[in-house]
Amino acid sequence: MISHTTFKIGGAARLVTEPKSADEIAMIVKKCNELGIRYMAIGNGSNLLVDDDGINACVILLGKEFSDVRLIDDTTIYAEAGAKLINVCRLALDNSLSGLEFAYGIPGSCGGAAFMNAGAYGGEMKDVLFKCDHVTADGEKGVLEGGDLKLSYRHSAYYDNGCIITGLYIKLKKGNATEIKAKMDDLLGRRKDKQPLEYPSAGSTFKRPEGYFAGALIEECNLKGASVGGAQVSEKHAGFVINKGGATCKDVLNLCKKVSDTVYENKGVKLEMEIRVTK
């Protein structure tokens, strides 16, 4: 799974499939159920830490074979779950559509962005996402929209319902292309200046505790640069645990425990990991 996660960590999967349609996803789910095989869907793997022994499951890889992005009316974009979020942002820019600027530079897939209600710089997917197509745990196709998506901070209904997101419907507003591009460029510049994009990671490691910023708490505890094996708290941004070189899943988990324990001991604040850990 090293090749399928931005952390560049993880052993082999039991089986990997790469479907080209929602019908194929439904077929795979039904076959896995029939054979008693666990399955899981992965997009760009940008928020995922895979166990060193790999994943004992059928991985449904939603990648380039499942990445169509298109306008379906003047202000609505449809994107398959495997499409990279940055490509949706570029389509919005090309059509002078505003509302998705915050997502420019987020490395995830569209399915992952909807699943965790990805956000940055004051914007979230819940601001623009109004409907998702999915395949249920029984292998049937379905839809959630509006309030049924239950979008909240780094959470959606898909965390709990066992469905696989297959498509997103995003509603934007007509805007000025020059202004949209300027905002995208500004936010991308901020990312490059403040985040350790030169190292493999899974983005922000911890969720934002209410009333605090995880990175600030970690820095105040003098943990910038702290490391376990090949895993390190970024010296550039303490909110990121990076793969400095040769990090294992165990290294990352032990470092995250050290960080969370230290912050709790010194600040009385419990940090919750934003990264999904799987095996």
Side-chain angles (χ1 to χ4, degrees):
M1 295 303 296
I2 287 175
S3 301
H4 301 295
T5 65
T6 58
F7 232 143
K8 305 301 180 188
I9 292 172
R14 182 175 176 184
L15 174 69
V16 174
T17 62
E18 196 166 0
K20 298 179 181 179
S21 69
D23 287 333
E24 288 188 7
I25 294 172
M27 180 185 69
I28 292 166
V29 168
K30 287 179 179 178
K31 181 57 69 172
C32 285
N33 288 338
E34 178 186 326
L35 298 175
I37 297 173
R38 185 169 69 98
Y39 62 87
M40 64 180 299
I42 291 177
N44 200 44
S46 60
N47 195 47
L48 191 65
L49 177 61
V50 176
D51 190 88
D52 299 316
D53 291 331
I55 300 176
N56 185 26
C58 171
V59 171
I60 301 172
L61 188 64
L62 305 180
K64 62 182 180 180
E65 298 294 335
F66 198 69
S67 60
D68 183 42
V69 178
R70 62 182 185 272
L71 276 178
I72 57 175
D73 64 36
D74 287 348
T75 57
T76 306
I77 292 176
Y78 171 79
E80 289 184 323
K84 291 184 178 180
L85 195 53
I86 196 167
N87 290 339
V88 181
C89 294
R90 287 170 177 157
L91 180 65
L93 173 60
D94 290 344
N95 289 274
S96 301
L97 295 175
S98 179
L100 204 57
E101 292 89 334
F102 73 89
Y104 192 61
I106 292 178
S109 65
C110 288
F115 181 88
M116 66 173 293
N117 184 31
Y121 299 110
E124 294 178 290
M125 289 300 293
K126 72 175 183 179
D127 300 331
V128 296
L129 178 65
F130 69 94
K131 184 168 72 171
C132 286
D133 295 331
H134 62 246
V135 170
T136 70
D138 294 325
E140 302 298 331
K141 291 192 286 187
V143 174
L144 283 182
E145 57 185 309
D148 289 339
L149 290 167
K150 296 181 181 177
L151 298 170
S152 59
Y153 178 68
R154 301 300 177 266
H155 190 271
S156 74
Y158 291 103
Y159 260 85
D160 310 309
N161 65 15
C163 298
I164 297 173
I165 299 170
T166 57
L168 287 70
Y169 297 81
I170 296 168
K171 178 64 72 175
L172 303 173
K173 296 179 180 179
K174 282 292 185 180
N176 180 282
T178 301
E179 293 175 0
I180 294 168
K181 185 177 187 304
K183 187 171 182 180
M184 285 182 171
D185 289 345
D186 173 57
L187 295 183
L188 184 61
R190 290 194 223 175
R191 289 181 191 278
K192 291 179 178 178
D193 288 342
K194 297 180 180 180
Q195 299 179 9
L197 303 181
E198 64 272 27
Y199 290 103
S201 78
S204 297
T205 304
F206 299 97
K207 293 182 180 180
R208 185 179 67 242
E210 188 172 353
Y212 300 91
F213 291 99
L217 291 171
I218 295 166
E219 185 170 354
E220 288 167 10
C221 290
N222 299 312
L223 287 167
K224 261 190 173 182
S227 62
V228 173
Q232 182 186 61
V233 176
S234 170
E235 295 175 330
K236 191 172 186 180
H237 190 311
F240 287 67
V241 169
I242 61 172
N243 181 353
K244 190 71 179 290
T248 64
C249 177
K250 187 176 180 181
D251 290 342
V252 173
L253 292 178
N254 286 340
L255 179 56
C256 288
K257 185 178 187 306
K258 176 181 177 179
V259 168
S260 59
D261 287 350
T262 302
V263 168
Y264 186 67
E265 289 168 8
N266 287 272
K267 300 290 185 178
V269 179
K270 291 185 178 181
L271 295 181
E272 181 183 351
M273 285 183 66
E274 182 172 313
I275 299 168
R276 295 174 63 210
V277 183
T278 190
K279 61 182 178 179

